[in-house]
Amino acid sequence: MHSIWQRLPHPFFAQGASRPWVVAHRGGGAENPENTLQAFIHAASLGVDMLECDVYRIADGRFVVMHDAHLDRTTDAVGPVVLHTTETLRKVDAAYRWARPEAPDAYPWRGRGVSLPFLEELLAQFPLMRFSIELKQDDPTLAAPLVALIQRHKAQDRVVIGSFGHRVIQAVRECAPTVATQATRRETLLFLLLVRLRLARFARPRFNAFAIPQKSGKHLTLVDAAFLRAAHYHGVPVHVWTVNDAVTMERLWRMGVDGIITDRPTLAMAGKQLIH
Ligand code: G3P
Ligand code: CA
């Protein structure tokens, strides 16, 4: 099913888990309130291979786990998350607006004390779990404190760090050259261009994985057989987001992708059992 790997993947991707990986996107936001401890606990209990989370550095320097720049869509508060402190965010109901896709008017977790987690709490709560940590701010000054936090938790071998932004990831690589990183948007598009020009063997990737959608917009296909071959030639696994239906999961698995990033980890774990 998989192409030949010409170079070995980063050790982060070589250890333990059986491929293809199931990655719980925001902990599995279709099954539990996204980016909350409840979601991460549930996904971990299913045996997923990695938890994906998004982080912002807030006013007092801590990293809060949250997808949107503003609190409005998911919580009972409003406004930019980065202006808050730990103290004010502790009072926020992180599950206030979450509803199951099949029951959009019910809010089963509202008012039950679900708070926004902080990154160090996740790393401490799941000492053996792999994390994909997405930095939502393209700010190079975040690299040193993030790396220090990861090192304090001795988590440098069980995290991969990504961002759409290029500057912050470059800074992470300078601070921690051995920690795994994902391709930024710019790096993905450059690699795709080389694939299309049949020049991918000349790429010199500084990244250790792709975490990308199969298509960018409606028309630009990123992940196909040629892209997978080229990525694997360089020892770079390809994880695809956000895949929430069984048909697409199976099609991508059969194509040879290395990981599915999904809001529905229960469905993906059941599918993974079937394909083995
Ligand atoms: O790794 C990127 C993936 O998580 C998709 O982006 O917007 O859901 O954080 P987003
Ligand atoms: Ca993300």
Side-chain angles (χ1 to χ4, degrees):
M1 183 163 89
H2 293 280
S3 309
I4 295 167
W5 295 67
Q6 304 287 339
R7 289 183 193 144
L8 287 178
H10 184 285
F12 174 84
F13 293 99
Q15 53 182 325
S18 65
R19 289 166 61 220
W21 286 17
V22 171
V23 182
H25 183 239
R26 309 181 198 173
E31 298 179 3
N32 285 285
E34 67 181 49
N35 277 323
T36 66
L37 210 48
Q38 279 64 21
F40 295 117
I41 288 170
H42 177 68
S45 76
L46 298 170
V48 300
D49 303 290
M50 182 157 70
L51 301 173
E52 191 265 356
C53 67
D54 308 284
V55 299
Y56 289 87
R57 192 162 195 239
I58 58 170
D60 59 13
R62 292 182 83 182
F63 287 91
V64 70
V65 177
M66 166 100 194
H67 179 272
D68 294 10
H70 288 73
L71 293 160
D72 307 40
R73 179 180 61 87
T74 52
T75 79
D76 60 343
V78 293
V81 67
V82 294
L83 299 183
H84 281 264
T85 61
T86 306
E87 194 188 348
T88 55
L89 286 183
R90 288 280 186 215
K91 297 176 190 143
V92 167
D93 183 342
Y96 191 77
R97 299 191 187 280
W98 185 82
R100 294 184 195 288
E102 63 277 14
D105 297 324
Y107 300 97
W109 286 96
R110 182 180 282 188
R112 292 172 63 182
V114 179
S115 59
L116 294 165
F118 291 88
L119 183 57
E120 70 264 30
E121 294 168 346
L122 284 193
L123 295 177
Q125 171 108 13
F126 304 98
L128 301 177
M129 178 54 83
R130 294 180 193 81
F131 281 91
S132 171
I133 300 169
E134 184 185 345
L135 285 158
K136 287 296 193 189
Q137 297 147 290
D138 189 16
D139 175 354
T141 68
L142 268 55
L146 177 71
V147 167
L149 186 159
I150 289 168
Q151 287 171 342
R152 267 201 309 283
H153 288 270
K154 300 189 173 17
Q156 53 271 36
D157 297 332
R158 61 185 178 95
V159 298
V160 57
I161 300 175
S163 179
F164 286 97
H166 194 69
R167 295 184 314 144
V168 68
I169 290 297
Q170 278 185 310
V172 167
R173 290 173 187 150
E174 277 160 31
C175 280
T178 61
V179 169
T181 58
Q182 293 161 348
T184 62
R185 190 199 302 266
R186 181 195 300 187
E187 289 169 333
T188 300
L189 292 176
L190 178 60
F191 192 82
L192 178 66
L193 180 65
L194 292 174
V195 171
R196 294 289 169 87
L197 295 172
R198 298 173 187 266
L199 295 172
R201 65 186 179 283
F202 297 115
R204 291 290 173 267
R206 291 197 66 198
F207 46 85
N208 308 109
F210 287 105
I212 51 179
Q214 196 193 351
K215 283 188 171 190
S216 176
K218 278 193 178 160
H219 303 295
L220 181 62
T221 297
L222 302 179
V223 180
D224 59 14
F227 189 94
L228 287 170
R229 247 192 330 270
H232 290 174
Y233 176 88
H234 289 286
V236 177
V238 179
H239 292 199
V240 178
W241 52 265
T242 306
V243 186
N244 291 334
D245 70 277
V247 171
T248 310
M249 285 176 193
E250 184 171 353
R251 182 172 56 73
L252 290 169
W253 278 328
R254 297 208 180 282
M255 192 193 289
V257 306
D258 305 282
I260 292 290
I261 305 173
T262 181
D263 295 317
R264 300 183 66 191
T266 304
L267 178 71
M269 288 303 290
K272 180 170 167 170
Q273 309 308 325
L274 291 178
I275 63 162
H276 275 286

